[in-house]
Amino acid sequence: MKQINKILEDFGSTIILALRAFSYLPCLPRQWYRLVEQCYLIGYTTLPIVAILSFFIGGVLALQAGYSLAPVAAQDFIGSLVGLSLARELAPVMTAILVAGRVGSAISAELATMKVYQEVDALVTMNIPPERILVMPRLIAILIMMPILTIIANLIGWIGGAVVAQNVDFIQLDTRIYFQGIKNFVTFRDILDGLIKAEIFGFVTILVCCNVGLQTVGGPREIGSSVTRAVVISLILILLLDYFVTSVLLKF
Amino acid sequence: MTSDTKEQKRTSIGLKIEDFSKSYDSVEVLRHVSLEVEPGEIFVIMCPSGSGKSVLLKHVAGLEIPTNGRIVIDGMDIAEPKTRSQLHMALVFQAGALFNSMSVFDNLALYPREHRLYDKKALRDKVMKALETLSLEDAAEKFPSQLSGGMRKRVAIARALVMEPELILYDEPTSELDPTMGATISEIIADLREEFGVTSLVVSHDRDLALTIADRVAILMHGDLLEVDTRENIKKSDNPKVKDFLNPVIDIKNPRFKRKD
Ligand SMILES: Nc1ncnc2c1ncn2[C@@H]1O[C@H](COP(=O)(O)OP(=O)(O)OP(=O)(O)O)[C@@H](O)[C@H]1O
Ligand SMILES: [Mg+2]
């Protein structure tokens, strides 16, 4: 019973935080400096790791596809398989997970520290709503950066698949045929679905991490457990939402 | 603190604490505290460590909700969500509560920037003047982590000055400061009142501060309000607890920690 109460409370406070943050949307022009800073931070911290991981995920997808398709001489479909898996599923989910690990954890740590050391209280006494300068710019920044990161993940993943498909000796698929497969089977709609998912995951992740951070009470130990909590909740939500958002998107 | 630059018009505001109690879980920290601070008054609350001064100030600033009673500032209940945005009130936190990710300059400039009070040059002048008042002009570009405890305290006070409040709540403004700096802080508090009619609610252990600049002093002990009076009357108080608190006699033969009362 206590746990259910806690979950409902967290859910409610997260929604309220989102509403508050968006009520300060008209202040965005005055917060552009913070917005740029956050975009830079998100891009700077996640881009290298997104690039490396998506290259290898594209590669391993091509490897697995080749392993099952080469015996029946169906290598030509590797491109479409890798392309679709990345665009519809793996690029958005992987990017969101990396954002949770790299950006979400940092945000919850920073906000939890600010809360514990009364910086948030100081903002309140100065009539500066914390949602306006701490949360809103971050939410907008993730909405801007998520599609960019996901598109980059797609492209690099596809290239990774191409490199593996061409160079592994039991596949040996010509790069041109590989990309022809992507071109024939991956539609704009597939990419768009992926981007919609990425937006939702990224937004929820940052929102949850902000909320968990700002709800922290106590001392240094609580800051640590807030970070863990924020990341774990984010990961769970990303994977749960993945199923539901996908099933909704497939209906249209 | 000269008035040659364009100053915001400030009016004096008073505050009233009505039958205020606060418990955390089942521990009662403050019991039925009632007091009234007149507009433009310097009111000092003195009490032993751990008896709830910081808790009281946090409630006056509207950061927490009382278990019982209410706090009225300038005729408005601070528990109402709109009240705070209509007041010019600053709280100097006991530990400073500086923004650690910002330089000292940006700490001071945040309030005027967010409320768009001055243009760039006027802002710089205001901030530098506040820093000079507290002999901090060399620290402007430093970060809070590079400051000593006493410097942080002074930055916190400077940050409150930049806000040009009508009511300032000080949580132990002179702890961690050397005697000269402590005297400077007392002078600043008194000067703000002379110049702009700023109301000050100070909680402190600092006897010199209380007994030189306070209009009235309240002694709070173990959650109860023991005495509220002008500083002259408090000095002459014949309540033994108040006497002992203001002029503790060090008695080696009969040390406090071995006494039975
Ligand atoms: N959030 C809280 N939860 C539980 N107890 C608290 C909380 N905040 C304060 N207290 C308790 O309230 C009492 C008063 O604390 P407070 O910080 O107001 O003391 P103080 O008078 O400011 O002391 P000092 O002079 O050392 O700063 C303490 O016993 C403390 O344990
Ligand atoms: Mg205190």
Side-chain angles (χ1 to χ4, degrees), chain B residues 169-241:
Chain B
L169 313 170
Y170 299 88
D171 196 345
E172 302 195 21
T174 55
S175 65
E176 299 181 84
L177 299 183
D178 59 80
T180 320
M181 206 61 217
T184 308
I185 304 295
S186 303
E187 287 162 8
I188 289 172
I189 297 173
D191 187 65
L192 281 173
R193 195 260 302 273
E194 287 309 307
E195 199 100 30
F196 308 110
V198 174
T199 313
S200 301
L201 176 60
V202 187
V203 302
S204 179
H205 311 288
D206 188 338
R207 228 176 354 172
D208 295 337
L209 182 148
L211 299 181
T212 49
I213 63 162
D215 296 315
R216 282 189 300 156
V217 180
I219 311 271
L220 193 67
M221 230 174 255
H222 311 299
D224 293 312
L225 208 51
L226 230 59
E227 208 159 319
V228 185
D229 218 328
T230 60
R231 60 168 187 261
E232 281 77 24
N233 290 348
I234 285 282
K235 273 187 232 176
K236 290 183 289 202
S237 166
D238 40 36
N239 183 327
K241 280 188 185 161

Side-chain angles (χ1 to χ4, degrees), chain A residues 11 38 51 64 70 106 112 123 137 165 172 176 183 186-187 205 219 226 236:
Chain A
F11 184 72
Q38 289 302 323
Q64 295 279 26
L123 284 176
Q172 290 194 340
R176 227 168 344 136
K183 219 167 136 191
V186 181
T187 61
T205 299
S226 273
I236 293 172

Side-chain angles (χ1 to χ4, degrees), chain A residues 20-21 30 33 35 37 45 53 83 95 97-98 127 130 139 150 154 156 165 179 197 233 235 241 243:
Chain A
R20 286 227 181 107
R30 278 164 60 192
Y33 169 78
L35 178 67
E37 188 185 22
T45 51
L53 286 194
T95 311
I97 289 177
L98 291 178
N127 277 322
L139 289 177
T150 310
N154 273 327
I156 295 181
F179 278 112
K197 282 162 71 165
I233 296 176
L235 293 183
L241 281 173
Y243 179 83

Side-chain angles (χ1 to χ4, degrees), chain B residues 2-3 16 103 114 148 154 170 189 195 209:
Chain B
T2 49
S3 50
K16 212 163 159 184
S103 70
E114 286 295 320
S148 73
R154 284 185 280 152
Y170 299 88
I189 297 173
E195 199 100 30
L209 182 148

